[in-house]
């Protein structure tokens, strides 16, 4: 085990690697660059690039690439080899500072929501100096990956990283400003921290090859209930099968090699569903690392004969996959601002609650996707109404919150409430509140856990929006404090007023219940049920104002994001509809027609015939709908695809699932849920 642990970070160009390879002065200047205090000089960039190249080529790297997070896909990359001609038939390995820092790519074909047209194709990828380059190995060598942001010629964000970096800057300034005003002048920097839990399914590769729906859409478009489901949660934390454990061990090993601190692994609730969580880190690094986790998951699964499904809802009737984003703020003096022991805990808690109450629709938009639509509100996933869970104890305290409140019960658990137990050996205090699995935005002891993001969502987007909304509120608090003579009195009245006004967003009960839906409506909290509705909030005046005031996104960028994400939604929905039609024609009807003549009993034969007629009929209706929307404007298309076609697809699914239950396995050659979920 010790040897395996030794490989940690071997394939990442970490700070200690740089320190060893460049003069002390260069290293120190680079640290200042990372903090945004100075710009990287050309000379230093060249020295660092040479150090990275020497390190990487020793590890068999032949290529480097600028790796970025475009608007509509998870990541993108373009490779260049280190080779440059040198003399007649000779070549050398070359990698300059400018190769490292800045790449130029004709990226006009990347969906950008109209920010750039083909004749203005210039786009730049710029190294995020806080995220270390790393190496990915392949059979014949290796590639150096440089984490970058993607920026247009005019400086607009074409990706998810740049707004995240801007939001980190915003929250750094706003939180430091407030702390300084409150008397904590030793604090110079505040960083957002992020810990990402990633859920996924594994299925056999041979099954995947036979499910065109999973191949094209990431999920099953049909499939009946299995005789056994997840009812008793038999899979959750269950014994991990050897084959799966081999895969997980391999995954941890590969992740550790590139410096990703994979920590927790276990079976999840649904059959064949699993989770991997890393140790939290600075938000931009944690976001990059989650992309590495997803890419490595997909790649390694194949080596083990599996396919990893990252889709939010690959199967009906069982849990979908989320990506819990654990978020907090840390000071450079080593304090977690959401630790109840922190002297300013109540101030930051109030600001977070207020921020969510005022801007929850944009939190909802940020995690909206075609795939997450199928998950929210389903089995054990949070509902699509956003609320904040504080737990009953903290909610009580919140009502008359004061700056000076440090509460033993919150910090150490309730001493007078012991956990009931049957053994006498252990004696543990009960936590001050139980967990609430249904809450979309839950306070979990010393951080917030945003549970709505789906398994394919980008943590860069998620933490960007949390940073941005809280910054706005923190700055407003500071504005008021700046003109105040009595800081303590003013902050106490600020939080008191804020808590009174915004505690409607706090809900500690069951987020699934019908009662909550009614109650939320009374409180004026919107139920934003699908991506089409959610994305509209990118165009909302107040939300744009909030982003602009923090310099996180400007109006043009908000509008372009709206278009790019809505276009992606339309594309995904159309692919789902077209795949369904394709599978009906190529497979389902074929199975049915083969089976019908073999049925001995006329009654049964007629029943199957009737169902196959339904199928033909609905399929035609769906095809007609697609034809009709072909010509219309993309917004209207998105609206129709979020409503009418969904109803039709549900009808089709019912018929197919019925046929699947009746037609013998020898005719039904597409793997069923029983095979997909219960064999590995
Ligand atoms: P659970 O399943 O109980 O929610 P996990 O251990 O699976 O907990 O995940 C918790 C995640 O929260 C981990 O990634 C952990 O590193 C992260 N985390 C812990 N403290 C913080 C913090 N201060 N800021 C951000 N993330 C944190
Ligand atoms: Mg969790």
């Amino acid at each position: 085990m010790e040897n395996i642990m030794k490989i940690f970070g071997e394939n990442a160009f970490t700070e200690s690697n740089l320190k060893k390879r460049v003069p002390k002065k260069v290293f120190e200047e680079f640290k200042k660059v990372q903090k945004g205090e100075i710009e990287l000089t050309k000379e230093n960039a060249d020295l660092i690039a040479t150090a990275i190249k020497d390190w990487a080529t020793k590890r068999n790297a032949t290529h480097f690439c600028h790796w970025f997070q475009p608007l509509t896909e998870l990541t993108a990359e373009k490779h260049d080899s280190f080779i440059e001609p040198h003399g007649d038939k000779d070549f050398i390995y070359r990698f300059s500072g400018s190769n490292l820092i800045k790449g130029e790519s004709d990226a006009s074909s990347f969906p950008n929501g109209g920010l750039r047209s083909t004749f203005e194709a210039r786009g730049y990828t710029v190294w995020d100096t806080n995220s270390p380059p790393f190496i990915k190995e392949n059979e014949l060598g290796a590639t150096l990956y440089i984490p970058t942001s993607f920026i247009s010629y005019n400086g607009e964000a074409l990706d998810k990283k740049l707004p995240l970096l801007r939001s980190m800057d915003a929250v750094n300034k706003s939180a430091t400003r407030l702390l300084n005003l409150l008397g904590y002048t030793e604090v110079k920097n505040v960083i957002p921290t992020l810990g990402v839990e990633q859920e996924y399914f594994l299925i056999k590769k041979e099954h995947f090859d036979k499910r065109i729906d999973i191949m094209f859409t990431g999920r099953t478009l049909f499939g009946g209930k299995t005789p056994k489901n997840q009812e008793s949660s038999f899979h959750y934390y269950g014994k991990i099968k050897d084959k799966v454990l081999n895969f997980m061990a391999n995954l941890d090993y590969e992740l550790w090699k590139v410096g990703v601190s994979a920590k927790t692994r276990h079976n999840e609730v649904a059959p064949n569903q699993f989770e991997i969580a890393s140790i939290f880190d600075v938000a931009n690094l944690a976001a990059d690392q989650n992309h590495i986790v997803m890419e490595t998951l997909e790649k390694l699964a194949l080596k083990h004969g599996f396919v990893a499904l990252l889709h939010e809802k690959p199967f009906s009737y069982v849990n979908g996959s989320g990506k819990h984003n654990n978020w907090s703020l840390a000071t450079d003096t080593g304090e977690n601002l959401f630790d109840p022991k922190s002297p300013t805990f109540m101030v930051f808690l109030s600001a977070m609650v207020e921020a969510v109450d005022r801007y929850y629709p944009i939190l909802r938009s940020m995690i909206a996707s075609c795939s997450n639509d199928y998950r929210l509100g389903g089995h054990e996933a949070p509902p699509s109404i956003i609320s904040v869970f504080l737990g009953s104890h903290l909610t009580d305290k919140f009502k008359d919150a004061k700056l000076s409140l440090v509460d033993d019960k919150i910090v150490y658990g309730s001493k007078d409430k012991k956990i009931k137990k049957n053994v006498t050996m252990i004696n543990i205090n009960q936590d001050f509140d139980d967990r609430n699995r249904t809450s979309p935005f839950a306070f979990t002891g010393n951080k917030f856990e945003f549970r709505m993001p789906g398994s394919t969502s980008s943590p860069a987007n998620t933490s960007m929006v949390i940073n941005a909304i809280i910054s706005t509120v923190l700055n407003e608090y500071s504005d008021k404090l700046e003109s105040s003579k009595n800081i303590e009195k003013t902050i106490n009245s600020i939080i008191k007023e804020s808590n009174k006004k915004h505690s409607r967003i706090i809900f500690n009960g069951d987020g699934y219940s019908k009662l909550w839906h009614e109650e939320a409506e009374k409180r004026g909290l919107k139920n934003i049920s699908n991506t089409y509705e959610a994305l509209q909030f990118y165009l909302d005046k107040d939300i744009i104002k909030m982003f602009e005031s923090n310099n996180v996104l400007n109006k043009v960028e908000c509008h372009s994001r709206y278009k790019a994400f809505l276009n992606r939604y339309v594309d995904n929905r159309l692919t789902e509809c077209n795949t369904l039609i394709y599978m009906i024609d190529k497979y389902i009807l074929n199975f049915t027609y083969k089976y019908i003549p073999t049925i001995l009993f006329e009654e049964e034969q007629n029943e199957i015939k009737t169902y196959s007629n339904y199928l033909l009929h609905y399929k035609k209706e769906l095809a007609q709908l697609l034809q009709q929307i072909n010509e219309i404007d993309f917004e209207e298309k998105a609206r129709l695809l979020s409503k009418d076609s969904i109803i039709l697809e549900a009808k089709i699914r019912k018929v197919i699932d019925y046929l699947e239950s009746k037609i013998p396995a020898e005719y039904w050659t597409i793997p069923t849920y029983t095979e997909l979920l219960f064999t590995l």
Side-chain angles (χ1 to χ4, degrees):
M1 192 58 195
E2 203 195 340
N3 279 342
I4 290 184
M5 299 292 275
K6 263 192 197 153
I7 52 90
F8 191 87
E10 190 181 274
N11 279 351
F13 194 76
T14 51
E15 251 178 51
S16 59
N17 268 319
L18 182 66
K19 203 171 179 177
K20 271 189 269 173
R21 288 176 170 80
V22 292
K24 199 166 168 223
K25 188 169 157 284
V26 177
F27 181 75
E28 277 162 8
E29 282 180 16
F30 182 69
K31 297 292 296 170
K32 287 191 185 152
V33 171
Q34 285 183 315
K35 286 192 192 137
E37 290 167 12
I38 54 170
E39 286 199 0
L40 191 59
T41 61
K42 191 178 170 320
E43 294 72 37
N44 283 358
D46 280 337
L47 284 169
I48 294 169
T50 305
I52 295 180
K53 180 204 68 188
D54 291 346
W55 170 84
T57 48
K58 252 192 214 125
R59 280 162 181 74
N60 295 326
T62 54
H63 290 70
F64 66 93
C65 78
H66 277 198
W67 182 63
F68 58 100
Q69 297 158 29
L71 290 187
T72 55
E73 289 302 321
L74 287 176
T75 56
E77 55 194 59
K78 175 183 157 234
H79 297 208
D80 277 301
S81 78
F82 287 116
I83 286 174
E84 268 196 22
H86 183 68
D88 219 5
K89 278 185 184 159
D90 216 357
F91 66 83
I92 50 164
Y93 273 1
R94 231 184 84 79
F95 184 54
S96 67
S98 60
N99 288 149
L100 168 66
I101 304 170
K102 195 169 98 175
E104 195 190 323
S105 57
D106 173 2
S108 53
S109 0
F110 276 103
N112 55 60
L115 261 185
R116 23 210 333 273
S117 40
T118 27
F119 62 92
E120 300 166 318
R122 228 186 267 270
Y124 300 106
T125 45
V126 180
W127 181 29
D128 172 6
T129 53
N130 282 295
S131 192
F134 59 94
I135 276 174
K136 265 198 201 176
E137 291 160 328
N138 57 51
E139 272 173 25
L140 280 180
T143 307
L144 174 72
Y145 279 69
I146 303 160
T148 59
S149 2
F150 188 32
I151 304 171
S152 82
Y153 183 69
N154 296 321
E156 285 126 351
L158 296 170
D159 70 344
K160 296 167 190 147
K161 189 192 257 287
L162 185 61
L164 170 63
L165 298 179
R166 292 173 182 162
S167 76
M168 289 172 65
D169 209 29
V171 83
N172 177 18
K173 286 187 186 135
S174 59
T176 308
R177 179 181 171 213
L178 183 61
L179 287 168
N180 291 171
L181 280 167
L182 290 171
Y184 300 93
T185 46
E186 68 285 7
V187 176
K188 300 278 178 273
N189 279 299
V190 173
I191 50 155
T193 53
L194 185 68
V196 183
E197 302 164 53
Q198 175 75 48
E199 293 179 344
Y200 61 96
F201 279 86
L202 290 176
I203 59 170
K204 277 186 180 168
K205 170 80 167 74
E206 67 210 61
H207 289 154
F208 170 84
D209 289 339
K210 290 188 183 154
R211 290 287 316 213
I212 290 173
D213 46 358
I214 303 182
M215 206 181 285
F216 284 149
T217 72
R219 72 183 185 104
T220 53
L221 297 176
F222 53 84
K225 249 187 166 169
T226 49
K228 176 174 171 158
N229 267 299
Q230 65 172 40
E231 283 85 358
S232 55
S233 284
F234 69 94
H235 195 253
Y236 192 51
Y237 284 175
K239 187 161 76 67
I240 303 172
K241 283 182 186 164
D242 278 352
K243 267 197 227 169
V244 175
L245 192 55
N246 285 338
F247 161 73
M248 287 176 164
N250 199 177
L251 178 64
D252 285 342
Y253 181 78
E254 289 302 324
L255 291 174
W256 289 343
K257 255 170 62 181
V258 288
V260 175
S261 55
K263 170 91 175 154
T264 309
R265 60 190 192 198
H266 62 82
N267 285 1
E268 258 302 329
V269 174
N272 286 355
Q273 191 189 28
F274 309 94
E275 177 178 307
I276 176 166
S278 315
I279 299 174
F280 73 96
D281 215 315
V282 185
N284 58 331
L285 200 56
D288 284 354
Q289 295 204 340
N290 177 247
H291 282 291
I292 299 180
V293 169
M294 287 191 279
E295 288 178 11
T296 315
L297 258 172
E298 287 187 318
K299 186 174 135 185
L300 276 185
L302 289 172
K303 253 176 113 175
H304 290 255
F306 305 139
V307 172
L309 306 182
L310 297 178
H311 191 285
E312 278 77 359
K313 193 76 181 176
F315 307 100
S316 296
Y317 315 116
V318 296
N319 278 15
S321 297
K323 173 165 358 211
H324 295 174
N325 279 235
N326 297 272
W327 176 96
S328 191
L329 291 174
T331 64
D332 56 351
T333 49
E335 188 151 4
N336 174 358
L337 294 173
F338 286 95
D339 183 336
K341 273 182 282 191
S342 160
T344 55
F345 170 65
M346 269 298 169
V347 180
F348 281 86
L349 189 72
S350 300
M352 190 73 259
V353 171
E354 174 171 345
V356 177
D357 185 44
R358 280 167 58 185
Y359 300 113
Y360 70 87
I362 196 67
L363 274 171
R364 172 70 183 86
S365 334
M366 214 51 73
I367 52 96
S369 67
C370 173
S371 46
N372 209 16
D373 278 358
Y374 299 109
R375 164 180 169 259
L376 293 177
H379 288 262
E380 288 211 37
S384 43
I385 307 168
I386 296 194
S387 61
V388 176
F389 171 85
L390 292 185
S392 55
H393 180 81
L394 193 52
T395 306
D396 270 355
K397 294 283 155 197
F398 195 71
K399 281 187 198 126
D400 37 33
K402 283 195 194 64
L403 173 64
S404 54
L405 184 109
V406 178
D407 182 345
D408 275 0
K409 272 194 188 165
I410 300 175
V411 178
Y412 303 109
S414 171
K415 291 217 171 55
D416 40 296
K417 259 164 95 187
K418 298 278 183 227
I419 291 180
K420 286 198 194 94
K421 56 190 177 346
N422 297 321
V423 282
T424 47
M425 300 278 288
I426 43 169
N427 190 7
I428 40 178
N429 293 333
Q430 193 174 42
D431 283 331
F432 69 89
D433 243 310
D434 197 4
R435 289 168 169 246
N436 181 323
R437 293 187 62 100
T438 66
S439 177
F441 203 90
F443 181 71
T444 50
N446 60 0
K447 58 185 161 59
F448 275 97
E449 186 171 340
F450 188 24
R451 301 208 183 101
M452 281 180 121
S455 40
T456 51
S457 65
S458 156
N461 260 347
T462 323
S463 76
M464 175 273 275
V465 70
I466 304 176
N467 299 339
I469 61 175
I470 197 171
S471 288
T472 299
V473 179
L474 294 176
N475 275 328
E476 288 172 5
Y477 285 9
S478 292
D479 289 345
K480 285 183 195 154
L481 284 177
E482 247 162 19
S483 54
S484 149
K485 290 202 183 72
N486 185 337
I487 294 286
E488 181 152 356
K489 203 171 148 209
T490 312
I491 193 69
N492 282 341
S493 75
I494 290 174
I495 56 182
K496 194 166 180 157
E497 201 182 309
S498 162
N499 296 2
K500 217 161 107 194
K501 207 161 154 194
H502 299 287
S503 45
R504 65 160 187 172
I505 196 82
I506 300 171
F507 177 65
N508 298 321
D510 179 3
Y512 300 145
S513 68
K514 207 171 146 262
L515 278 176
W516 166 233
H517 284 240
E518 290 162 12
E519 167 70 20
E521 208 179 321
K522 273 192 216 143
R523 296 190 192 182
L525 297 171
K526 293 189 188 81
N527 183 357
I528 305 164
S529 66
N530 63 47
T531 299
Y532 167 74
E533 286 171 27
L535 292 177
Q536 305 303 319
F537 291 96
Y538 272 99
L539 310 178
D540 183 278
K541 266 201 332 271
D542 288 338
I543 283 167
I544 295 176
K545 204 170 121 203
M546 179 274 298
F547 278 135
E548 289 200 318
S549 74
N550 292 315
N551 295 321
V552 171
L553 288 171
N554 62 30
K555 189 175 170 189
V556 176
E557 289 168 331
C558 285
H559 280 252
S560 73
R561 257 146 235 263
Y562 165 71
K563 273 192 210 145
F565 297 150
L566 200 61
N567 261 325
R568 181 178 58 164
Y569 175 72
V570 168
D571 282 353
N572 289 346
R573 290 287 302 118
L574 285 176
T575 306
E576 290 187 337
C577 295
N578 286 324
T579 306
L580 189 57
I581 293 174
Y582 180 88
M583 290 185 86
I584 294 171
D585 286 337
K586 281 270 176 230
Y587 300 95
I588 316 294
L589 288 173
N590 186 285
F591 302 156
T592 315
Y593 296 150
K594 270 192 193 149
Y595 174 52
I596 289 174
T598 71
I599 306 173
L600 291 178
F601 300 103
E602 202 182 314
E603 205 179 315
E604 193 172 340
Q605 200 180 50
N606 286 338
E607 194 167 283
I608 301 284
K609 275 185 191 161
T610 311
Y611 273 86
S612 60
N613 284 336
Y614 284 149
L615 192 57
L616 269 177
H617 173 76
Y618 291 145
K619 185 203 76 170
K620 239 190 224 157
E621 242 183 85
L622 183 59
Q624 269 165 5
L625 184 75
L626 294 186
Q627 191 75 35
Q628 277 165 23
I629 62 177
N630 200 17
E631 298 297 317
I632 58 176
D633 142 75
F634 84 103
E635 284 182 303
E636 183 57 10
K637 208 182 264 180
R639 199 184 65 77
L640 288 173
L641 285 167
S642 75
K643 291 218 160 67
D644 301 22
S645 76
I646 298 253
I647 299 167
L648 204 46
E649 286 164 74
K651 282 187 193 165
I652 293 178
R653 180 180 185 135
K654 251 192 181 156
V655 179
I656 300 181
D657 289 356
Y658 172 82
L659 290 170
E660 187 197 84
S661 74
K662 290 287 169 191
I663 296 177
E666 61 175 303
Y667 298 102
W668 197 276
T669 55
I670 297 179
T672 62
Y673 274 22
T674 302
E675 288 151 294
L676 291 166
L677 287 169
F678 289 89
T679 59
L680 258 196

